Structure formats: C-alpha cells, structure tokens
Amino acid sequence: MKTLSLTSLICSGLLLSACGNRFVVIPPPAPAITLPQASSQAAVARPQNSSLVKTTAQTQEKPVQPKPALVNSPHKIEQNLSDTEIPTHFSEPPPLPKAKQAEIRLFRTFGTSESLNLKARVIKPESSSEAQADDSKLTSLIRNIKGFSVSEIADVRVLFELNGKRFYASSNKEGMIDLASTAFAGLAPGIHQLTATVAGGQKYQSQAFQVELMIHPQQDQSLGFISDIDDTIKISDISNKLAAAKKLLTLNPFQAKVMPGTSTLYQLLENRDKQADGDFFYLSGSPLNLSPEIYSFLDFQRFPTGAVELKKWGFEEGDDNPIQQENYKGEKLKAIFEAYPNKPFVLFGDSSEKDTEIYLAIAAEYPGRVKGIFINNVTADDPSAARFAGVHLTANAGESARILAGLNLLTADEVSQVEQSL
C-alpha cells in the first residue's frame, strides 16, 4: 500500500499514489478442472446489459504468436490468447476454505477489432460508504482521503470474459494487470462490457465486476474527440494548487461543478453519427486511484461514455511523474493516434497548463488529422498571445458550439441547445 501525506498533497497540488502496470498471463487449468459460464445471477459492480456467447472447445492449444502491441509502452506485454478459449461446460473450482473477498477495479479503455487495451487492479474491498449529493465536506474529506490509499493484492489470478471468450491474467506486486491483448479479436465497433472475477481455487474470491470498453475499426476514418477533464469539463482550479486540493478533497462526484454547457455539447458531438459508440476519449493527469470518482462524475453529468486515460502516479520506473504533464499527455495522444492511423480528431483542453502546446505539437506531428483545437480560457489570457495561434481560445461551451457550427459539425438548432444549457 502506497500513500503520501496531506502535506505532500498541498506541496504538489494533488495526492500521490503509485500503481503498477506489469502482468503475467496464466494459462487456463487443465481440462480436469472445469470452469463455469458466467452466471446471470452474479453480482455486477456496474449493472449493464450484456450477454456472454458460447465458445467452442479447443482440443489442443496452438502456439502463441505475438503481435505489435496496441500501445507503444515498454511496460505492456501483449499475448495472443484467442486460441485458449475455455469450453462453456467447464466450471470454476470453488475458492479455497476461508477465502477472503477481493475487489477488481476495472478501467475504461479502448481498442480495435484486432487488439484491445485492458487495465485492472485487484484490491481489498473498500469500507467507505457510497457518496451522496448531500454529504458534508467533512464526510467527503474522510472518504476521499481513504480513497487515495488502497490495499493492493498481488498474485491473484483473474478470469476475464468478453464476447464469449475468456482468459486469465495475474496481478503484479501492486495489484495491477495492464496489457494489450489480441484475445478478443473480431469485436464489432461500439461499446462492449468486459466482465472480470477472481478465478477459482484461490485464497481470494470476488463477485463479478464490469467495465465499458470502446472499440473502433483500426482503419476508422470517422471523427473522434479527445478531451481533458480538469478545468475543461470540470471546474478544478488547477492553476491555483491550494484551491484545487480543497475541491479534490472536500467534494464528491455529485458535488463537483461542471463547466456549463460542456455535457450538452459533447453529447451532441457524440451523436453526430446517430449512435453512442465511444467517440470520446478523456485524457487526465489524475491518478488511477480516482477512477471511481471520475467515472461517477462523467456519468452523473451525462457526458458520453468513453475511454479514460489516467496516470499511474509515482517516481519509479514505469510510473507517471505526477508533476510532469507534457510528456505524459503527448505519449497518450500518440497512442490514440497510432491505434487509429486514419482517424481525425477534435481536441478540447484549457489554458491553465500546457494543453495548448501539447495539442499543437500533436497537430504538427500528424498533419491533417487534427480538425480543431479548442482551449477553454480559464485563466482569462489575452487571445492575441502568440501561444494561442492556431487554436480556438473560447470563453464557454456556447462559443465553442458556434465555432463548431462554422466547421459544419453542429447545426444552428444544436448551438441553441448548448447556449440554453449554459
């Protein structure tokens, strides 16, 4: 378990918490041990409509043929596990006597029909109560401080299921499983539900947990959107570290303030193709430990469901430096652009840090693929400043909507909807 003091929070502007990101793939047990088809009665952490399709029995495991990883990271390992499907008439062995409960924290990620980013963490169950809109600041403070520190569980074998296929992976010393896998090759474009449970025969057990995964064709040419979170869609006051720390610690996801009109704007952009299929990617420097709160905020404020990239905060090899943003965001943006080499994007950020410079650098590196850069002017900077050349510096979502209409991405009626939501 890794934590830092509140003093560290004030000094850095945020609380640090490190997470690992290595994984070990464990082959399925021998046919003598049976594995179950997921029960419809299993408890699901995030209830969603999903179905599991029957798999076909494999009489012989074929050699694994590694393919290029979806994300270019030395800390990711890719395995082609599509030939290790488990017959659905097999059933998981029971947990060991006196097995303890574990929680599997799943992260919203993205992929193609050929390769999929998967990220999960195995931890001891949280004891905090669920956040409520009328919680006091003291209640939120206590819960939020607890949330920064989780007790990770190493060497737990997890069974993942999606689209009728199953595979195993084990948590590392920091409880993390982080991989780019071809195990689910053939997924149709859209939003899918990944299910994960602790595999049987271990000293830990769990209910079933689910998370949304966003799939787009590798050669997709439809318009995508990448958005920062803090001070772009959520009022965080990042430029004032003490104010940002106060908001972070004393507000819960239902109390955090949204940038007016941004949810309506994003929903209209998501539905340009008449379907909610994960066109939005959210990119934040917040730590993985805050994923439940970030997802709750996005869902409560009705932002489109999309992949959410968060930092693995820390200072060891493979960690994301909590202070440094430029390299981190640049690498995450490159990963998305490389995953879909023909897909154009509109980028949303704010003026409080380095979004402008990062986005302009990406636009230069991938000519013709950035169709617009929108920077929320939360610092009231001079629009004529040299750093804003080539971007749309906007005062609010209504102004962004009017510019997007000029780019033929919104209609006049949709602009009115955004303006009315301010």
Side-chain angles (χ1 to χ4, degrees):
M1 179 172 64
K2 299 186 179 182
T3 61
L4 292 180
S5 66
L6 188 57
T7 302
S8 300
L9 167 67
I10 299 302
C11 292
S12 66
L14 295 168
L15 191 61
L16 309 184
S17 175
C19 304
N21 70 341
R22 293 182 291 274
F23 86 104
V24 178
V25 174
I26 305 297
I33 300 177
T34 58
L35 305 169
Q37 185 175 5
S39 168
S40 61
Q41 302 300 317
V44 176
R46 291 176 48 80
Q48 299 286 347
N49 293 326
S50 63
S51 60
L52 296 176
V53 182
K54 291 185 178 181
T55 61
T56 55
Q58 302 291 323
T59 58
Q60 179 177 334
E61 183 173 334
K62 301 177 183 178
V64 171
Q65 298 295 329
K67 298 180 180 180
L70 180 65
V71 175
N72 183 20
S73 167
H75 307 290
K76 285 183 180 291
I77 303 173
E78 179 174 16
Q79 294 287 336
N80 184 345
L81 303 175
S82 58
D83 293 324
T84 62
E85 295 178 5
I86 304 165
T88 54
H89 64 273
F90 284 177
S91 59
E92 281 285 313
L96 296 177
K98 299 183 180 180
K100 298 179 181 179
Q101 289 294 321
E103 177 182 333
I104 304 173
R105 187 165 288 180
L106 297 170
F107 304 102
R108 296 179 183 179
T109 59
F110 65 93
T112 70
S113 57
E114 291 78 27
S115 185
L116 176 63
N117 289 331
L118 296 178
K119 190 175 291 185
R121 193 180 192 192
V122 183
I123 62 175
K124 293 181 180 179
E126 303 264 329
S127 59
S128 299
S129 59
E130 292 291 329
Q132 304 294 329
D134 59 353
D135 283 343
S136 68
K137 289 187 176 181
L138 177 61
T139 297
S140 294
L141 175 65
I142 294 171
R143 183 188 298 108
N144 290 338
I145 290 177
K146 286 182 178 179
F148 279 106
S149 174
V150 297
S151 298
E152 59 271 359
I153 309 175
D155 300 320
V156 174
R157 192 171 72 252
V158 175
L159 172 62
F160 294 91
E161 302 183 73
L162 175 62
N163 200 34
K165 298 179 181 179
R166 309 176 182 182
F167 75 94
Y168 294 92
S170 285
S171 58
N172 70 1
K173 66 180 181 179
E174 293 174 310
M176 291 295 299
I177 298 171
D178 189 359
L179 62 119
S181 173
T182 59
F184 302 122
L187 285 173
I191 300 176
H192 294 261
Q193 297 291 329
L194 175 75
T195 300
T197 55
V198 171
Q202 301 182 88
K203 60 182 179 181
Y204 288 97
Q205 60 184 332
S206 78
Q207 63 183 32
F209 295 86
Q210 286 188 336
V211 73
E212 300 88 347
L213 303 177
M214 276 45 72
I215 299 297
H216 302 281
Q218 188 171 20
Q219 301 305 320
D220 186 15
Q221 299 183 37
S222 66
L223 186 63
F225 305 91
I226 302 175
S227 176
D228 178 51
I229 294 179
D230 291 310
D231 288 330
T232 300
I233 62 175
K234 177 185 176 185
I235 299 175
S236 302
D237 290 334
I238 291 298
S239 58
N240 182 334
K241 300 303 182 185
L242 290 178
K246 182 178 179 181
K247 284 182 169 62
L248 181 67
L249 288 172
T250 62
L251 300 177
N252 68 39
F254 309 109
Q255 298 165 337
K257 302 300 183 182
V258 65
M259 286 290 180
T262 52
S263 175
T264 300
L265 175 64
Y266 283 19
Q267 284 287 359
L268 290 168
L269 293 172
E270 168 68 41
N271 292 310
R272 288 180 64 252
D273 55 3
K274 308 302 181 184
Q275 52 186 339
D277 53 359
D279 289 329
F280 267 84
F281 300 74
Y282 301 94
L283 177 55
S284 171
S286 296
L288 285 171
N289 273 16
L290 291 185
S291 63
E293 289 75 19
I294 291 171
Y295 298 167
S296 293
F297 171 80
L298 293 172
D299 295 345
F300 179 69
Q301 297 293 349
R302 303 181 66 82
F303 283 96
T305 301
V308 181
E309 291 291 321
L310 302 172
K311 274 187 174 181
K312 188 184 87 59
W313 277 14
F315 298 97
E316 298 178 1
E317 182 181 359
D319 292 341
D320 297 313
N321 187 313
I323 309 298
Q324 206 285 329
Q325 277 287 83
E326 200 160 353
N327 289 342
Y328 162 76
K329 278 195 171 181
E331 290 303 314
K332 292 296 185 181
L333 286 165
K334 288 178 184 178
I336 297 171
F337 275 68
E338 293 294 334
Y340 312 107
N342 298 312
K343 191 174 180 68
F345 291 94
V346 172
L347 311 180
F348 294 93
D350 64 85
S351 61
S352 65
E353 292 186 308
K354 294 290 187 179
D355 286 348
T356 301
E357 290 76 11
I358 296 168
Y359 289 173
L360 286 172
I362 286 294
E365 186 168 351
Y366 298 91
R369 293 186 57 194
V370 175
K371 301 304 180 183
I373 297 174
F374 291 79
I375 299 297
N376 185 22
N377 192 8
V378 294
T379 50
D381 284 358
D382 180 0
S384 64
R387 68 179 293 230
F388 299 119
V391 309
H392 301 290
L393 187 66
T394 60
N396 54 53
E399 187 175 345
S400 297
R402 290 189 291 273
I403 296 171
L404 288 163
L407 299 174
N408 295 319
L409 297 178
L410 291 177
T411 66
D413 179 65
E414 289 170 335
V415 172
S416 295
Q417 293 181 50
V418 175
E419 291 176 333
Q420 290 170 13
S421 68
L422 295 177

